[in-house]
Amino acid sequence: MLEFFKEGLLQFLSYSGFGNCTWGHIIMICIGLVFIALGIIKEYEPLLLVPIGFGIIIGNIPFTDGLQVGVYENGAVLNYLYFGVVKGFYPPLIFLGIGAMTDFSALISNPKLILIGAAAQFGIFAAYITALLLGFTPMEAGAIGIIGGADGPTAIFISSKLAPSMMGAIAVSAYSYMALVPVIQPPIMRALTTPQERLIRMRPPRAVSHREKVLFPMMCILLTAFLVPTGLPLLGMLFFGNLLKESGVTKRLANTASGPLVDIVTILIGLTVGCSTQATNFLRPASVLIFILGAFSFVIATASGVLFVKFFNLFLKGDNKINPLIGNAGVSAVPDAARVSLVEGQKYDRTNFLLMHAMGPNVAGVIGSAVAAGILLSFLY
């Protein structure tokens, strides 16, 4: 009888997390706790970091293979939920919600700000070239480079097409740098601008008519989709969501897209991306290199936006000049990057409100990252 209970206990322990735990699992669980702490204590993108952090914990509970509980096991519930990430249909739904909650008025009133959003995408291609030099394949390099756009859904969409095996590291890296925008960007902005440039006051944006707001998404989808048809899943949903918002006759649909729908998809995408970081698949030298390249890409993107404004100002006069502190907002971290522009600007002039001006390049960055993703797909996929 005693031997029977002993064998039963040993068998139970062999199936438990204690019997299958490794240092890798413990390290990843600690990383998950750090993500949750940053989201709750520091309030760095809590809607992203809390689900991802908890997903990392769930994904790194040790278990015996064949129990159908892991995100990579066929037939597991988490595997079915992860299907939306693998096949890339969560990101377009996120873009639908983004479009339904985005006001493009700042960009419409000052169209030249779209050039800042385009300039910030240089970080994507700089990281792509660097990744190639470090030995990654062209498809892997393209998936890594997109981190510089600071757009988690776009990073997931691209990596699901180009480098599925690296999706966990790329997605977590992209969302991490999105959350750390208030930490990473200010030192770069201060280093690249002079005290005089930080005091530039921009002309107040003009009022935008309802007709302009309705025409904008239709004109943009025609222009961008004809230019890069491969970006259609993201661009189409982005501008469709915006049309729902601005038309004035589909408020229920716009409210659903910008509210319950985007919230549900954010939960699913955050949780399953976190679950995909199982220690056995995630803790590799390539993952560390992806994080380093992602940081490099993000820094270059921020610097490119600021430096482009400084260059652009050489051709502008008077109140047409642009404050370089909004150059950081060219990345697609809406609205955190624009908020950083405001906070930094008010450190030097409390009456200088840059938020509305910064929203122009910020929403342009959303469009720019989707276009850059389409360009990468067009010659790599």
Side-chain angles (χ1 to χ4, degrees):
M1 180 67 70
L2 181 62
E3 188 66 25
F4 173 77
F5 280 111
K6 182 179 178 181
E7 289 180 2
L9 180 61
L10 291 174
Q11 184 176 3
F12 170 76
L13 289 175
S14 69
Y15 277 96
S16 72
F18 297 104
N20 294 278
C21 189
T22 66
W23 281 109
H25 293 110
I26 294 174
I27 291 171
M28 291 306 302
I29 288 173
C30 290
I31 292 174
L33 292 173
V34 170
F35 272 52
I36 294 173
L38 289 173
I40 295 176
I41 300 173
K42 294 294 186 178
E43 296 188 13
Y44 291 159
E45 290 284 359
L47 299 182
L48 298 175
L49 290 192
V50 172
I52 291 175
F54 203 81
I56 292 174
I57 294 174
I58 292 175
N60 284 279
I61 300 298
F63 59 86
T64 303
D65 291 338
L67 295 180
Q68 292 190 335
V69 294
V71 73
Y72 294 113
E73 292 191 302
N74 291 329
V77 173
L78 288 175
N79 180 258
Y80 286 122
L81 295 177
Y82 191 55
F83 189 79
V85 175
V86 174
K87 296 301 181 182
F89 62 75
Y90 285 158
L93 293 176
I94 292 285
F95 264 68
L96 175 66
I98 292 173
M101 65 177 70
T102 299
D103 185 354
F104 286 101
S105 296
L107 184 60
I108 298 171
S109 68
N110 194 355
K112 63 176 177 286
L113 295 180
I114 198 170
L115 297 175
I116 303 174
Q121 307 312 313
F122 180 74
I124 294 175
F125 298 99
Y128 169 71
I129 294 170
T130 305
L132 286 178
L133 295 175
L134 291 175
F136 287 97
T137 68
M139 295 180 74
E140 291 171 344
I144 294 169
I146 205 68
I147 297 172
D151 191 330
T154 303
I156 291 173
F157 183 77
I158 287 293
S159 57
S160 70
K161 305 291 184 183
L162 300 181
S165 63
M166 295 182 170
M167 188 187 304
I170 290 171
V172 171
S173 179
Y175 279 117
S176 298
Y177 295 126
M178 283 176 63
L180 293 175
V181 159
V183 177
I184 298 173
Q185 288 195 324
I188 302 170
M189 297 160 65
R190 290 191 290 266
L192 296 177
T193 56
T194 66
Q196 293 76 22
E197 289 174 327
R198 298 169 199 153
L199 295 174
I200 292 176
R201 300 182 74 91
M202 298 175 63
R203 179 191 299 174
R206 68 173 178 84
V208 177
S209 68
H210 177 255
R211 177 178 296 179
E212 289 176 293
K213 291 182 179 181
V214 172
L215 290 176
F216 180 79
M218 292 186 284
M219 292 176 62
C220 281
I221 186 58
L222 291 173
L223 177 61
T224 57
F226 270 85
L227 183 64
V228 281
T230 45
L232 189 59
L234 299 179
L235 293 166
M237 296 296 267
L238 174 70
F239 293 123
F240 174 54
N242 189 245
L243 181 62
L244 293 179
K245 174 183 182 295
E246 302 298 353
S247 68
V249 295
T250 53
K251 289 184 178 179
R252 286 175 54 189
L253 300 182
N255 291 337
T256 298
S258 63
L261 178 62
V262 77
D263 289 342
I264 291 170
V265 179
T266 298
I267 291 171
L268 293 176
I269 203 170
L271 190 69
T272 53
V273 163
C275 289
S276 70
T277 62
Q278 289 183 2
T280 51
N281 297 315
F282 190 81
L283 288 181
R284 299 176 298 173
S287 298
V288 177
L289 195 53
I290 287 170
F291 267 80
I292 295 172
L293 285 170
F296 169 74
S297 176
F298 188 66
V299 168
I300 295 297
T302 302
S304 297
V306 175
L307 291 174
F308 176 79
V309 174
K310 289 166 68 75
F311 172 75
F312 200 22
N313 276 342
L314 297 176
F315 307 94
L316 301 175
K317 297 180 180 179
D319 60 359
N320 284 322
K321 285 187 177 294
I322 302 171
N323 191 313
L325 289 178
I326 73 169
N328 73 296
V331 299
S332 179
V334 181
D336 283 354
R339 194 176 295 122
V340 169
S341 302
L342 171 67
V343 171
E344 285 301 304
Q346 291 194 324
K347 288 180 180 178
Y348 306 96
D349 181 355
R350 289 186 175 276
T351 64
N352 195 7
F353 296 95
L354 294 174
L355 183 61
M356 283 306 298
H357 300 292
M359 284 303 298
N362 210 182
V363 296
V366 178
I367 300 172
S369 65
V371 171
I375 292 172
L376 289 172
L377 284 176
S378 66
F379 67 87
L380 290 176
Y381 188 53

